Amino acid sequence: MTPTTEMYFWDLAKYGEMTTLHLGSKTWIFLNSKRVVAEIIAKRGSMTNTRSPMPVSSGIVSHDRRSLIMPQEAWAEPRRVMHSLLSGTALQQYGEWQEMESTQMMAEYVLKPRSWYRHHYRYANSVIHRIAFGERLQKSTKELEDMQNCVTFFVGSIGTSIIDWFPDLAKLPKFLQVWRLYWTPLGDWNYDVYRSWWDPIRRQVEEGTAKPSFVRDVLLNPETKYSGSDEDAMYVALQLIEAGSDTTREALNIMVMAALEHPEVFSKARAEVDRVCGTGPDARLPRLSDMEQLGYICAMAKEILRWRPIFVVTPDHTASKDFEFEGYTFPEGTGFVINEVPVGNECERPDDFYPERWMDGHETDIAHGLWQFGGGRRICVGYRLAQRSLFINIARLVQSVDFKPAGFYNPKVLNLEAVNEPFPVQVTMRSKDYENLIIREAGVAGVMEDAKLVRDTL
């Protein structure tokens, strides 16, 4: 998010807790305070959980199958099967994989500290690939770039075409829909990329050779009775990979920026980790089972997402019927958008990175009081997985790594989409004891050789 973008969304909040914008034939209400977000998105979620029609980004580009922007009637079934990601059994199984991939990431930090941002990217992609498909990530650079571009081009398509703002134009006869000549190739290319990732795992499931995974045990398991087609299942699985990889990488990069700007916070966090995990040659790596004892680390994860929000607005929550709220009547079809900038800054010392603001007894619930995962019935179903990925990596990086500036940077410009280093950082290990600890743990986890291979290709 650039300072200009941030200022625009701040300006919308000057008109009060709710700001009305007429965008084409749509009416969007920007929700600018925590109070109205809770009232309309959470408490009235049964009336505000559908999406407005987007014939280009949802229809042509996504083949009407991206659940993020699906209308309520189409979204319910994908949501049902993805809800399994929140179960205790799944979180325990996936947690073992998150810890293993995190151990490899730490070994990569030891071997190639200058490529710190690439290690975040590999971790995020590999762990969600393992959860979705049951396999460690073994994709070429071109395949990873294509998947990243699926996200980039899809997000870039939202609101780009005037047809998404005047959706009734999509009712014209197809020979008059000249915009299809531009958007259809993108949708077909996205479909082909998805298919190249999907077909191999589907064949393994059919042949009985697939390893435990969300696809094998939930999506294609006859006992789940998923009612969608093969293409529907493909989009559910690949969206999980899209959503679970890029945001984790970006959040870890924000953590590094916070370390540069507020080293005193990281000193306090390190003291907490040391108290629980020991110091020097007697130290151990933090584990997911330490979450309850490492409340400050949990609070840091929440503060990272508040301090520099990855999503400055949420997809619109559209009213499925007329309703009234505090003297206002909102007709069916009105869209409500969480304005994350003023909502996240509705606190004392909003410019400071201050995890203490989340030490309220709910620090281990990343969605409590924080709206970066959306809210109501359309909240991101993978938010607990995301929390656990952030927790384990923040705790281990705080314990073992020192971050210092390595040149000029603007703390308001994070360059989250950057392929290369997003801002200049000097990375060093805390001491030889922690370097040895990481190498030893990577050997036990069986990921040291993989970490060396990554080193050789960076």
Side-chain angles (χ1 to χ4, degrees), residues 34-184:
K34 295 177 182 178
R35 187 186 74 85
V36 295
V37 171
E39 289 288 342
I40 292 176
I41 301 301
K43 293 182 181 179
R44 291 164 177 80
S46 62
M47 296 183 289
T48 59
N49 67 349
T50 191
R51 302 289 198 217
S52 62
M54 291 189 171
V56 170
S57 55
S58 182
I60 298 173
V61 174
S62 303
H63 287 205
D64 290 308
R65 288 185 169 92
R66 268 194 172 90
S67 59
L68 176 68
I69 49 179
M70 277 181 176
Q72 179 179 347
E73 60 274 14
W75 153 81
E77 179 63 4
R79 166 77 178 193
R80 182 182 68 82
V81 292
M82 292 189 73
H83 198 72
S84 66
L85 296 171
L86 299 176
S87 74
T89 302
L91 290 175
Q92 182 178 359
Q93 174 65 73
Y94 301 154
E96 296 174 6
W97 300 337
Q98 288 172 303
E99 288 189 347
M100 184 185 72
E101 296 293 351
S102 174
T103 302
Q104 179 172 331
M105 189 191 82
M106 297 305 300
E108 292 161 7
Y109 257 87
V110 171
L111 297 171
K112 191 81 171 182
R114 292 184 61 183
S115 294
W116 58 274
Y117 55 97
R118 296 190 183 184
H119 308 325
H120 297 170
Y121 183 67
R122 188 215 60 81
Y123 167 85
N125 276 275
S126 191
V127 76
I128 199 63
H129 189 274
R130 179 75 178 268
I131 289 169
F133 289 171
E135 301 174 333
R136 302 202 72 202
L137 187 65
Q138 294 180 331
K139 296 291 184 181
S140 67
T141 300
K142 176 64 165 55
E143 288 173 313
L144 291 174
E145 288 177 350
D146 284 345
M147 182 56 63
Q148 176 62 40
N149 284 332
C150 284
V151 181
T152 302
F153 297 156
F154 160 63
V155 173
S157 74
I158 298 175
T160 301
S161 170
I162 195 172
I163 309 305
D164 278 350
W165 301 114
F166 293 92
D168 284 347
L169 292 174
K171 297 177 183 178
L172 291 170
K174 281 195 175 181
F175 73 89
L176 293 178
Q177 296 183 27
V178 294
W179 56 88
R180 286 184 170 273
L181 295 175
Y182 177 82
W183 292 107
T184 297

Side-chain angles (χ1 to χ4, degrees), residues 72-318:
Q72 179 179 347
E73 60 274 14
W75 153 81
E77 179 63 4
R79 166 77 178 193
R80 182 182 68 82
V81 292
M82 292 189 73
H83 198 72
S84 66
L85 296 171
L86 299 176
S87 74
T89 302
L91 290 175
Q92 182 178 359
Q93 174 65 73
Y94 301 154
E96 296 174 6
W97 300 337
Q98 288 172 303
E99 288 189 347
M100 184 185 72
E101 296 293 351
S102 174
T103 302
Q104 179 172 331
M105 189 191 82
M106 297 305 300
E108 292 161 7
Y109 257 87
V110 171
L111 297 171
K112 191 81 171 182
R114 292 184 61 183
S115 294
W116 58 274
Y117 55 97
R118 296 190 183 184
H119 308 325
H120 297 170
Y121 183 67
R122 188 215 60 81
Y123 167 85
N125 276 275
S126 191
V127 76
I128 199 63
H129 189 274
R130 179 75 178 268
I131 289 169
F133 289 171
E135 301 174 333
R136 302 202 72 202
L137 187 65
Q138 294 180 331
K139 296 291 184 181
S140 67
T141 300
K142 176 64 165 55
E143 288 173 313
L144 291 174
E145 288 177 350
D146 284 345
M147 182 56 63
Q148 176 62 40
N149 284 332
C150 284
V151 181
T152 302
F153 297 156
F154 160 63
V155 173
S157 74
I158 298 175
T160 301
S161 170
I162 195 172
I163 309 305
D164 278 350
W165 301 114
F166 293 92
D168 284 347
L169 292 174
K171 297 177 183 178
L172 291 170
K174 281 195 175 181
F175 73 89
L176 293 178
Q177 296 183 27
V178 294
W179 56 88
R180 286 184 170 273
L181 295 175
Y182 177 82
W183 292 107
T184 297
L186 175 58
D188 292 344
W189 171 83
N190 191 153
Y191 178 90
D192 290 341
V193 172
Y194 275 17
R195 180 61 68 184
S196 69
W197 286 54
W198 172 253
D199 284 347
I201 184 63
R202 186 194 60 186
R203 283 195 298 268
Q204 291 176 23
V205 173
E206 292 171 349
E207 295 167 357
T209 60
K211 298 177 181 178
S213 69
F214 170 72
V215 169
R216 191 199 76 173
D217 301 329
V218 179
L219 200 55
L220 298 184
N221 187 332
E223 294 183 3
T224 65
K225 298 177 181 171
Y226 176 61
S227 63
S229 67
D230 178 68
E231 292 181 0
D232 293 330
M234 176 179 74
Y235 272 82
V236 170
L238 271 298
Q239 285 173 90
L240 176 61
I241 288 178
E242 283 183 345
S245 58
D246 213 43
T247 51
T248 299
R249 171 186 69 87
E250 292 174 351
L252 291 175
N253 288 355
I254 295 170
M255 185 219 73
V256 174
M257 175 64 80
L260 303 185
E261 288 291 288
H262 295 275
E264 74 285 353
V265 172
F266 282 73
S267 295
K268 184 172 182 178
R270 177 172 287 178
E272 180 184 67
V273 174
D274 287 349
R275 174 178 57 79
V276 173
C277 300
T279 58
D282 298 323
R284 63 168 175 83
L285 290 179
R287 298 185 288 262
L288 287 171
S289 58
D290 295 321
M291 285 185 70
E292 293 293 336
Q293 293 181 278
L294 295 175
Y296 197 74
I297 299 296
C298 295
M300 283 181 66
K302 299 180 77 167
E303 183 68 348
I304 284 166
L305 298 176
R306 184 212 66 83
W307 185 63
R308 295 290 185 267
I310 295 171
F311 305 107
V312 294
V313 294
T314 61
D316 63 311
H317 291 243
T318 302

Side-chain angles (χ1 to χ4, degrees), residues 18 23-24 27 127 154 160 173 206 244 255 270 287 289 307 340 349 365 379 382 391 400-401 418 437 457:
M18 297 185 289
L23 304 166
T27 298
V127 76
F154 160 63
T160 301
E206 292 171 349
M255 185 219 73
R270 177 172 287 178
R287 298 185 288 262
S289 58
W307 185 63
E340 297 281 359
R349 301 166 50 187
D365 181 358
I379 192 171
F391 168 80
S400 301
V401 181
L437 167 64
T457 59

Side-chain angles (χ1 to χ4, degrees), residues 375-448:
R377 299 188 180 187
R378 296 298 290 242
I379 192 171
C380 171
V381 295
Y383 74 88
R384 289 183 183 169
L385 283 173
Q387 176 179 17
R388 291 159 76 85
S389 273
L390 292 180
F391 168 80
I392 192 65
N393 288 306
I394 293 170
R396 291 177 173 187
L397 290 169
V398 161
Q399 178 192 45
S400 301
V401 181
D402 291 323
F403 298 97
K404 294 182 179 179
F408 174 79
Y409 66 89
N410 183 342
K412 293 283 188 179
V413 180
L414 293 173
N415 298 322
L416 293 180
E417 300 300 324
V419 177
N420 297 319
E421 188 174 41
F423 40 87
V425 181
Q426 178 186 344
V427 175
T428 56
M429 302 308 296
R430 177 180 177 181
S431 72
K432 195 68 176 179
D433 286 335
Y434 292 91
E435 183 175 320
N436 292 337
L437 167 64
I438 290 167
I439 291 173
R440 183 170 66 251
E441 290 296 323
V444 172
V447 297
M448 194 63 198

